[in-house]
């Protein structure tokens, strides 16, 4: 059994998009088509807003005891021996 899930913007050519999706099924097949409205997504932040949020998250994160990845990996390997 095949299943397709898609979200379409009605500004798109929805009719041809749905027709293309249905073409994958052989003629004579029975398919169930369920259409429902999806709430509009929340506003996407600008790149600058995103960078500010990431910078704030980095400032609030606890400091790592290691300065480099190599130091961290060495500590992890040493912990495996215990």
């Amino acid at each position: 059994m095949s299943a397709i899930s898609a979200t379409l913007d009605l500004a798109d050519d929805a009719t041809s998009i749905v027709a293309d999706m249905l073409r994958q099924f052989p003629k004579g097949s029975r398919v169930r088509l369920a259409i429902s409205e999806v709430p509009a997504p929340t506003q996407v932040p600008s790149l600058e807003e995103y960078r500010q949020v990431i910078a704030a998250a980095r400032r609030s994160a606890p400091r790592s005891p290691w300065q480099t990845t190599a130091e961290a990996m060495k500590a992890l390997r040493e912990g495996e021996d215990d």
Side-chain angles (χ1 to χ4, degrees):
M1 183 167 114
S2 296
I4 299 174
S5 176
T7 302
L8 309 175
D9 185 351
L10 290 183
D12 296 337
D13 185 9
T15 304
S16 65
I17 294 171
V18 172
D20 288 341
M21 289 190 309
L22 293 174
R23 283 193 186 99
Q24 93 166 30
F25 300 100
K27 286 188 177 187
S29 296
R30 292 185 64 184
V31 297
R32 176 178 295 166
L33 179 63
I35 299 175
S36 59
E37 185 175 5
V38 178
T42 57
Q43 184 65 28
V44 176
S46 70
L47 181 58
E48 187 54 37
E49 291 169 328
Y50 173 77
R51 287 179 175 163
Q52 289 173 3
V53 170
I54 295 299
R58 286 182 176 151
R59 285 190 300 273
S60 67
R63 299 293 292 166
S64 171
W66 306 291
Q67 295 297 317
T68 66
T69 302
E71 289 177 11
M73 295 306 294
K74 181 180 177 193
L76 289 172
R77 279 193 225 79
E78 289 170 356
E80 288 176 353
D81 295 338
D82 295 339

